[in-house]
Amino acid sequence: PSITRGITKEISTVSWDDIGGLKDLKKELQKAVEWPIKHAAAFSRLGISPIRGVLLHGPPGCSKTTLAKAAAHAAQASFFSLSGAELYSKYVGEGEALLRRTFQKARLASPSIIFFDEADAIAPKRTDPGGNSSGNVTVGERLLSTLLTEMDGLELATGIMVLAATNRPHAIDAALMRPGRFDKVLYVPPPDVEGRFEILRIHTRKMKLAEDVDLWKIAECTELFTGADLEGLCREAGMAALRENISATLIHNTHFQGARSSLSPSLTKAVLDK
Ligand code: ATP
């Protein structure tokens, strides 16, 4: 990492090729995030105002964080990450201070991407039953208003983009969806069979597989598995081979079969139909 005025500039090493499936979504993110940062001069020459925020939503473990990191890597932008739940749990005032400090750092290290995980915790609907109804300003409201002020303060072409992720898009305050804030809302779906095949290929890239391993067949029998589940399955197959023989040189189909039957998917049909 290089140092810019006391700020450590970390460029993520995750690339688009590390993400299986989601071809169209990757293209959308390239247009929305990578281009405005990489070609900021062209955008301002033509007077195009780039979007400032993208909200990614979808079930857990399906690569929202990884997509944000890949977008940052592709744009050669510094990556700052914050968790909504973590900000929410801080002492009074600390969450807002951390939020402001992060925007400040991002400005110094620009171009930058600020990523908010669990954004629904930072910006819950102001009518959320979890909120305080006594008329006092709640923690969530203070965090939200700090976030909105910071986002409104992002001037044109400063090279800072905010990406947020949530599993509960309906719980997010509508104020975040106004123009100039999260103008783009993208659904990150669980992988279909082709996506699962690609994810299995990515996570077995460095593994020594025997010829009898058929990743397509494994993809077919892992419906409702998330990318994270599939990563776990590959690891488990490798562990099974080692457990069987600590000097094993190859991972066989039987190890994948064993891993498949010992693991169950994180997703349920009911979650997907919601
Ligand atoms: P959460 O909502 O729980 O934060 P997420 O949607 O942000 O989850 P990630 O953290 O990006 O998911 O993914 C978890 C792990 O699963 C990653 O480390 C990644 O290796 C793997 N993974 C998920 N989806 C994919 C994919 N499409 N291709 C390759 N790996 C994937």
Side-chain angles (χ1 to χ4, degrees), residues 17-22 58-67 115 117-118 165-167 188 191 195 198-200 202-203 226-231:
D17 293 340
D18 295 322
I19 300 171
L22 306 173
C62 292
S63 81
K64 295 183 294 298
T65 310
T66 316
L67 283 164
F115 176 67
D117 206 358
E118 301 176 83
T166 179
N167 309 324
V188 185
E198 283 182 31
I199 295 169
L200 288 166
I202 289 167
H203 288 289
T226 65
D229 292 340
L230 293 167
E231 189 181 4

Side-chain angles (χ1 to χ4, degrees), residues 99-171:
L99 205 48
R100 279 194 295 266
R101 231 174 18 247
T102 306
F103 273 85
Q104 173 71 8
K105 282 190 193 170
R107 275 192 289 270
L108 290 173
S110 93
S112 301
I113 285 179
I114 302 175
F115 176 67
F116 286 108
D117 206 358
E118 301 176 83
D120 46 284
I122 300 186
K125 276 203 175 108
R126 281 178 254 203
T127 51
D128 215 36
N132 185 337
S133 55
S134 68
N136 293 332
V137 181
T138 63
V139 179
E141 280 170 349
R142 277 201 310 268
L143 284 169
L144 178 60
S145 91
T146 308
L147 176 61
L148 295 179
T149 310
E150 291 292 344
M151 284 193 78
D152 290 345
L154 294 178
E155 291 134 36
L156 244 186
T158 49
I160 300 178
M161 188 86 70
V162 183
L163 265 63
T166 179
N167 309 324
R168 305 165 58 224
H170 303 298

